[in-house]
Amino acid sequence: MDDINKNNTNLSRNLVALYAFELVAKHGNFTSAGEALGLTQSSISQRIKGLEIDLGVVLFKREHRGVSLTYEGLRLLNVVKPAMTQMGYAVGSLLERKSKPRVRISADFAFSTFWLLPRLAYLREELGDEIEIQILASTVPPGLDDTDCDIQIHVAPISQVKPGEILLLEEIVAAICSPQLLEKITPIRSSADLLDVQLLSLSKPATAEWQTWQGWFDSLGITGERKKNYISFNNYDMVTQAALAGDGVALGWIGLIDGLLSNGSLVKVTNDVVMSDAGYVMSRDPANLGRGPRMVFDWIADQVFSTPSA
């Protein structure tokens, strides 16, 4: 521990000198390095001399027209230069983020893929290049102590919607498949017949609130044994792709897959739809009073409420 503390003390004391060293190596003289740092030539020279004393090596050969690296100086530069470059990029990125507001949206994969992404170009067109948009897709909502997201959109119980939160979509779920598969498995006289066909399932983490096949059947009062195992996925985009490929029947969330129903890529297998006590709820970090999160939050709400239901 003493060695670590000693190294940290040495690094802290010499950090500016190391930056000056890298600039002197770049410019080849103390004067230009001093101008880059806003220091005098003598000040830069003193810092380099102090660094050489601390390290116990000579870093530069003092020549008539400037300086050149010694062998020990070149070894140090090979370590210092990449580190200084990385730090410069990191600080520059943070400063750019400060001048160009960022809005981070946490949403589940289904909402991100089927609702947000098709509208992202319109959002960018309306906001211009003023705000950076980041979408963090996840199967479960961030923890209550996670303040790194400005806006959260996840399935939650409608009864637990808090003041300031917005219910974007109620959970309305139908059985869907490709037209080709529906023709193949016909006749489907009722939703109970789905117990005999291949079903595509979205794996549900313990903390997730969305509808499952078992819950869907239970809501319709359908009991019985399935004759085929589920094909399960942990990503709703994969579930949908499998349904489009004709691999089985999936649950379709009305409000998300409306476009695929409208263009005929997917069809409802039966007329049954199940509405649960959950829905997509949007919330915003109340501690973030920035204009960007407020604008994006309001834009998403306006888009949902101005779009006719399927």
Side-chain angles (χ1 to χ4, degrees):
M1 182 63 72
D2 289 341
D3 290 341
I4 295 176
N5 290 335
K6 183 178 180 181
N7 288 337
N8 288 338
T9 300
N10 289 334
L11 181 59
S12 175
R13 184 173 65 247
N14 289 306
L15 193 56
V16 175
L18 286 169
Y19 186 43
F21 161 76
E22 196 258 342
L23 285 176
V24 172
K26 176 181 178 181
H27 292 283
N29 62 75
F30 293 144
T31 301
S32 297
E35 291 174 353
L37 273 176
L39 298 174
T40 63
Q41 183 268 352
S42 60
S43 179
I44 288 289
S45 179
Q46 290 173 8
R47 288 179 184 273
I48 297 301
K49 188 62 178 177
L51 180 62
E52 289 176 323
I53 292 173
D54 268 6
L55 297 179
V57 295
V58 176
L59 299 173
F60 292 104
K61 298 175 184 176
R62 276 69 171 176
E63 300 169 340
H64 178 66
R65 295 183 177 275
V67 295
S68 62
L69 287 165
T70 63
Y71 174 73
E72 289 81 5
L74 183 60
R75 287 182 59 196
L76 181 61
L77 181 65
N78 288 336
V79 175
V80 169
K81 187 175 181 179
M84 291 297 179
T85 299
Q86 281 190 307
M87 286 191 291
Y89 285 149
V91 172
S93 176
L94 291 173
L95 291 174
E96 181 182 3
R97 180 181 300 175
K98 181 180 178 181
S99 62
K100 184 177 181 179
R102 177 204 70 186
V103 178
R104 304 189 83 179
I105 305 171
S106 169
D108 73 8
F109 283 103
F111 196 91
S112 298
T113 301
F114 295 101
W115 199 96
L116 277 175
L117 289 184
R119 294 169 173 82
L120 194 57
Y122 301 109
L123 174 59
R124 295 259 21 103
E125 182 179 346
E126 185 155 331
L127 297 182
D129 198 40
E130 178 185 354
I131 298 171
E132 177 186 350
I133 303 295
Q134 295 184 3
I135 298 176
L136 308 179
S138 173
T139 55
V140 295
L144 295 176
D145 58 346
D146 189 337
T147 59
D148 200 32
C149 295
D150 303 297
I151 297 172
Q152 297 183 14
I153 305 171
H154 287 272
V155 178
I158 295 176
S159 60
Q160 297 179 18
V161 175
K162 304 179 183 66
E165 297 181 340
I166 295 179
L167 175 62
L168 297 178
L169 297 172
E170 293 182 85
E171 188 178 47
I172 304 174
V173 187
I176 59 169
C177 71
S178 68
Q180 296 79 12
L181 180 62
L182 181 59
E183 184 177 348
K184 182 179 178 180
I185 63 178
T186 299
I188 297 292
R189 300 178 182 84
S190 71
S191 294
D193 292 337
L194 295 178
L195 293 171
D196 299 330
V197 304
Q198 181 64 66
L199 301 179
L200 307 173
S201 174
L202 177 62
S203 301
K204 180 179 178 181
T207 57
E209 300 286 349
W210 64 71
Q211 185 68 263
T212 64
W213 270 114
Q214 188 60 56
W216 195 82
F217 285 128
D218 289 344
S219 296
L220 295 174
I222 297 172
T223 59
E225 295 293 327
R226 297 190 309 276
K227 294 186 177 180
K228 296 178 182 289
N229 291 326
Y230 293 123
I231 299 177
S232 297
F233 304 88
N234 67 348
N235 183 310
Y236 190 62
D237 186 31
M238 297 172 66
V239 174
T240 308
Q241 291 301 320
L244 289 167
D247 294 329
V249 178
L251 290 176
W253 274 256
I254 306 303
L256 297 185
I257 49 96
D258 297 9
L260 295 173
L261 293 175
S262 297
N263 65 25
S265 299
L266 293 173
V267 295
K268 292 180 181 178
V269 182
T270 72
N271 291 325
D272 288 326
V273 294
V274 169
M275 179 182 292
S276 75
D277 61 352
Y280 276 100
V281 176
M282 179 170 66
S283 60
R284 184 160 67 91
D285 178 10
N288 190 335
L289 303 177
R291 178 168 169 264
R294 184 180 69 253
M295 289 177 62
V296 175
F297 186 90
D298 292 342
W299 187 89
I300 292 174
D302 289 343
Q303 289 293 304
V304 169
F305 299 137
S306 64
T307 301
S309 301

